[in-house]
Each structure stands twice: as structure tokens, then as C-alpha cells.
Amino acid sequence: RSLVLSLNQQPLPAACACPHSASLGPLELTRKILRDKQNKKNSGQPIPVFPSWVYERPALIGDFLIGTSLSTDTTVPIGTLPLASQESMIVEDLLYVLIGVDGRYITAQALVGRQNRAFSLDPNLDLSIKELVTRILPVAASYSAVTRFIEEKSSFEYGQVNHALAAAMRTLIKEYMILITQLEHLQRQGLLSLQKLWFYIQPTMRTLEILASLATSVDKGECMGGSTLSLLHDKTFNYTGDSQAQELCLYLTKAASVPYFEILEKWIYRGIINDPYSEFMVEEHELQKEKIQEDYNDKYWDQRYTVVQQQIPSFLQKMADKILSTGKYLNVVRECGRDVTCPVAKEVIYTLKERAYVEQIEKAYNYASKVLLDFLMEEKELVAHLRSIKHYFLMDQGDFFVHFMDLTEEELKKPVDDIITTRLEALLELALRMSTANTDPFKDDLKIDLMPHDLITQLLRVLAIETKQEKAIISAEPTELTLSGLEAFSFDYIVKWPLSLIINRKALTRYQMLFRHMFYCKHVERQLCNVWISNKTAKQFSLHSAKWFAGAFTLRQRMLNFVQNIQYYMMFEVMEPTWHILEKNLKLASNIDDVLSHHTSFLDNCLKDCMLTNPELLKIFSKLMSVCVMFTNCMQRFTQSMKLDSEMERLTLEHGTMLGPPTEEERAEEAAKKKLTNKLLAEHADSLHLTSGFEATINKFDSNFSTHLLDLLDKLSVYSTNDCEHSMLNIIYRLLRFQAGSICRKGWQDSALPVPWLPSLPGVTAASRLGLDSGIGATGS
């Protein structure tokens, strides 16, 4: 203690400040980098900083002051002294050197980089004494390394784990200082020889050597937080055969882990991160949860909290994902205004038995999973919201869509720029109130959305996300074709936090793509049905050329069968079974990540089996739909041209006139008029056929439809075989069943297209492949 006091009482030479300040340059730079990084992360609360004089006064550090001598005594050449005097002088010098002060005959050399401290001995020293001194000096070198480490890592910038480690080392250094004080007392009594000093210092030598080794490793690795704990844990295990060394490392690791485990406990028990120095394994990012409903590519759930690999202690590596999830679950509940605290919370203490951590983290994880899952399922009614979305986006609310499409048919035929959105919203509201959808408690969350792109463009933009083509597709010029309301129409759905974690913008976009696909199919089906209704009137006339008119009826029925089979396949063979699987999985889900995974899998399977993940299939399908729409338009125009004056159509035998029921003479006269009308209509239709080439037009439609259908079947067969998409075999079989006869006559006969996929289909006989069996042939024709 007197040595330490004498050191502190010495005046600070002016010359010593400069060399030491120069050596602190790299350290100051490191502290500045760390400080700037931490202040950037914690912009609202900057970390504290030591005053500058702490670093400008080297005498406060406790390490050797290079370039000056604090001793005012005259140095006697040691070679001129007897051996006993040499030993006495060297023992006194060693007591100084062991606490970081240069002696008369032993001085510390300047450090170069991070290498160990070296010492200079008086060359005139006796060889026997020099040999013993050389054995003791590594203790002083270790002390110097540990002292520098303690002083450096005590700065705020190095984090709480390093602070705790430095504090634990400081405690051990205090014990070491007590030992030196006791040795000084013996020396003053004349009872301390060099041999005794070597004997007393040996147990401490191993301790300081381990401390110095740890300090050097932490410095070289630039370790902070979890990485420091990983290093200490690995060192502890490496000393398994050395119980004393392992006990020392265990003490240091326990002490250093206390602040880290405090952060961990807050995270897994309350969902709070309090990590001002960026030491914890979980890092928080400033993201707005509101963007989940706006940005398709928003990754709030994945990126709000992320794992920092280098800050995971090696003894928690296996549990890192569960630690991340536990805090995330609790944090979601907290952000909903509910305070949660784990009832099984216990203090986490470092131990070599990893099972202790596993059990505590497992309990916290199970509690957090249950709390959030119950919160979403019961209080926020997640499944009920998903059912509501299914009613509208997957079109399982039949009467609602009949009402809605009847009400909006004229409005949706307009170009998208001419559509009044508020009018559509009002019609949607009316359709909801008039149908069974009125009982849905979440119907008010359904909204109208007019998309800026058609379905294929939207699909390509989604598939291009995070690929090389993304920029090219997004920056591409918009199409010059004006979208109709039908092509741009879609529903949207308002989802509030925390349900937006599951039903986010990405999920809603997938629902929208499924809806637009099915909605357009439903529209084409309605158009074909309207043609069928209008054709009912034409059937009563005895046309001279009935064959070409029958061909139009046949093609219309083939198109209608195709559209209805596609719809049946999508709704009853894809969506309904997949939905039941989703409901079953949601009941078995144990955490929110399982719910997310099952919901995403449900949407992915629906998109894939409905041909919406394959642009090639979707383009062929769109061509088929376009042929159907053009055919219906052509037939509607033809039917309109056949109509007579509306006044004549209202004259029927059943209604009579204003003068009362018709007489027998009036009935006969009316029958003659009707016969004449039918004859005129037939002649008018035949003249239209002769002048406009109607039969050739129908044949062209038939040829195009068969060609595209063959192409679709061929591609479906290839994908079902190569990609093992066995569910597509169902639609191939259904389409073949209703189309085989006509395809055989129109497609294979006319164009001689190869059909390699037919022989391999299960359940398709040779007769059915050729369209010759009575059932398929009759349906096809």
C-alpha cells in the first residue's frame, strides 16, 4: 500500500504525457467507432462517456510509465555490491515491478502492438540472481496485460459484459495486491529472500497467466457481449483437466454473464429488449407494423427482431431460435396493450450443465406460444376472419356473388378509368345485405380494389420479386390497352394488428390473385349462359341451313363445359380439400410460426394447383378465356340482328288485346302471322349467314378453341409428370371426359397434333382416348 501511495504522490512529469497519449490513439479511435455505432442505434439516449482527463493522466492507469523514472535515489552500480546486497536490492525492485512500477535495476520496455510486456535487467547482475528474476518477471508481464485490459474494458463503449468481466478481474487483482503488500511487509522485516519470493509467488503466477491469456484473447477477437461469453465458455471447457483453472474461468464467466442474462430474462419473460451496447443475440430494428397492410414484400415478422450470430453465446446456440421466438410472441401481445409476465420466471445463472438453460427457456417458450396463440385464436378470432376471407376471395358464398354480379354487371363493363368506385362500394354493400353474407360479423372489412394491372402482369411482378428480372418488370412501360372493370376488379380486406401478422399484404395479394382468376371464370360462364338463353329463342325457328347453327350450339356447350369443369376443379378439388387441411392444422398448431407456415402453405398449394404459379399455363388459359369471350360477343351480336320489332314480339295469343280475349278468327289470323314471321326470320338468318360468312367464323372459333385446349392439356400433362404435380391429373381427366370427342374430330383430325400424354393417363381407356365410347363421344358431340 505504501508503494501505491508513493506512486500516486509522485508529480507527473511533463514529458511522460505525450508518449502515453500517442499510445492511446488507436484505443481512442476504437472507442469513438463503438460510441458512434451505439449512439446511432440509441438515438434518444446517448451512452455516457468518461471525462477526458481519465485518459490523459497515465498515472491513474496502474501500468508502467515508459520513458520516465519516478525514483529520486542515486542508483549504485549493482555489480559492485556483494551477492546478499544484490539479492536484497533485486527483491525490492521486484516488489515494485510486480505492481507496475519500474525499479532501479529492472525496467519495463515499451509495448509494440498487443504483444506481452518485456523487461530489461541490469547486465551486471549476478547470473544466479538473474536466472531466478527471469522466472518471476512473467508474473509482472501478466499483471501488466490484465491491468491494461481492466482499464480499457471499463470504458462504457465496450459493453456491460466486458464491464462485468473487468470488475471480476479487478477483484482478483485486489487479492493479488494484498499478496504483494504482505510480501512487502516481510521484506521490510528482512524476512523475504529471493527464493521465498519465488515460492510465494508461484500459485499466483498460474492465476495471472490465465487472466492475461483471457484478456489477450478478448482483445484479439474484439469481443463484446455474447462473443465474450462464448470465448469464456470455451476456455472453461478447455480447462476440464485442470480443476483450479476451470474454477477460475467458471468464476469469471458467471460474473461476466450476469448483465447478459438480465437482458435475456427481460426478453424471454416480458418481451422487452434493453440492450444499449448491442451485446444481446437479438437485435431490434425500427419497422412500422402498419406497412404490413401496404407493402407486399414487407418482412415485419422476420426482420423486426433478428438474431445476431456473433452475439450468440456458444452455450445458447441450440436455443437461439426459441429465444428469438419467445420474446417476439410476448412482444406482439405487449404491443396490443396487454402487460405479460411469465409466471414460471426464474433467474438464469451460468452453469456448465446446458440442460438448466434448456428447461427454463422451454418453459418460457411454451408460455409465450400459448399466450399469443390464445390471444389470436380466441380474443382476435383469427379462424373466423380466415373463414370470412374465404367466403369472398375464394367465392364460396354463392348467393352473394349472384346478387353482386347482377348488380355490377353494367358498371364493370366500363373501362376502369370510367368506373366510380363509390358506386361499386354501394352496390357491394347492397349485395352483402341482400344475401346470406349479411350474417358475417366481419363483412364491413371487405372493400373494393381496382388493380392497375391485369392478372398475368400482377403474377409476373410477384414471381419476379427478389430475382434478376424484378427491376426490368417493375420499370416496364404500362400496357397501352385499357383494362375493363372486370379485368381490374378485385376485393381487398381490412386487417388490423396483430392479425396482420398472419393476413399480411403478401397473403392478401395471393388471395386476390385466386379471386381474380375465379371471378373472371365466373364472368365467362355467365356470358356463355346468356348465349344459351338467347339461343333458346333461335331454336324454335326452322332454318334452312341448320347444320352451321348447330355447330355454334355445340361449340358453346363445349366452352361452357370447359369453364364449369375448371371452376369445379378449382373450388372442389383444390380449395375445399386444402382449406379443410388448413383448419385441421390450425387446431393442432402450438405457436404462431406454425400458424404462419400452415397459412402460407395453404395459399401456395392453391396457387400452384390453380395454375397461377406457372405463367406459361396461365397465358394458355387466358387465351382460352379470350376465345370464349369473343365467341359470346359474336353470338350476342348475331342474336341481336335476328330480333324483330319489339311491338310484334309482344303480340301473343295468350295475352289478347285491349278489347278482350281473342276470338277464333283472331287466333287463326295470329297463327298465320307467326308462321310468316318465322319464315321471314329464317330467311333473314340465312341471308346473314351467306353475307357474313358466319359458318366460317364459328369454325374458326372452334379451331382456335380446340388448338388452345390441346396445348393446355399437353402442358398440364408435362408438368404433372415432370414436376410430380399429380393433382393436375384430375383436371386433365375431367377435360378429356367432356372434350375428347370434339378434340378428336376438330384437333387431331384437322391439325394432326401429337398427343403423347393420352396413353399414360390412369382411368382413360383406348376407346375414351379416341372419343369412341358412347358416354364421352356423346358428351363431346
Side-chain angles (χ1 to χ4, degrees), residues 10 146 173 318 415 429 486 495 552 659 662 731:
Q10 297 294 332
V146 173
I173 290 298
K318 296 178 182 177
E429 182 76 14
L486 283 162
V495 188
L659 300 177
I731 186 58

Side-chain angles (χ1 to χ4, degrees), residues 326-344:
T326 303
K328 281 170 69 175
Y329 297 161
L330 295 177
N331 186 266
V332 170
V333 181
R334 283 186 65 256
E335 289 196 2
C336 294
R338 292 182 53 179
D339 188 24
V340 286
T341 303
C342 182
V344 293

Side-chain angles (χ1 to χ4, degrees), residues 106-166:
I106 306 173
T107 55
Q109 296 179 3
L111 289 171
V112 179
R114 291 185 177 273
Q115 67 179 6
N116 290 334
R117 179 76 70 181
F119 297 91
S120 299
L121 292 176
D122 192 308
N124 298 318
L125 189 64
D126 185 79
L127 289 178
S128 60
I129 295 176
K130 184 183 290 187
E131 175 64 26
L132 208 50
V133 169
T134 307
R135 294 182 186 179
I136 297 173
L137 283 178
V139 179
S142 298
Y143 168 80
S144 175
V146 173
T147 302
R148 289 196 310 276
F149 177 83
I150 292 172
E151 295 299 330
E152 180 185 341
K153 301 304 178 186
S154 294
S155 296
F156 289 104
E157 293 83 358
Y158 291 96
Q160 297 179 30
V161 172
N162 283 336
H163 296 170
L165 176 60

Side-chain angles (χ1 to χ4, degrees), residues 556-567:
R556 181 214 63 224
Q557 191 59 38
R558 285 181 60 211
M559 289 179 173
L560 190 59
N561 283 338
F562 168 73
V563 175
Q564 288 176 339
N565 276 286
I566 285 288
Q567 287 186 93

Side-chain angles (χ1 to χ4, degrees), residues 694-720:
F694 184 81
E695 184 176 7
T697 303
I698 296 300
N699 288 338
K700 184 66 175 175
F701 277 124
D702 197 339
S703 175
N704 287 342
F705 181 76
S706 297
T707 301
H708 292 318
L709 184 58
L710 274 171
D711 197 12
L712 178 66
L713 289 170
D714 191 29
K715 296 294 185 209
L716 283 172
S717 176
V718 170
Y719 287 118
S720 64

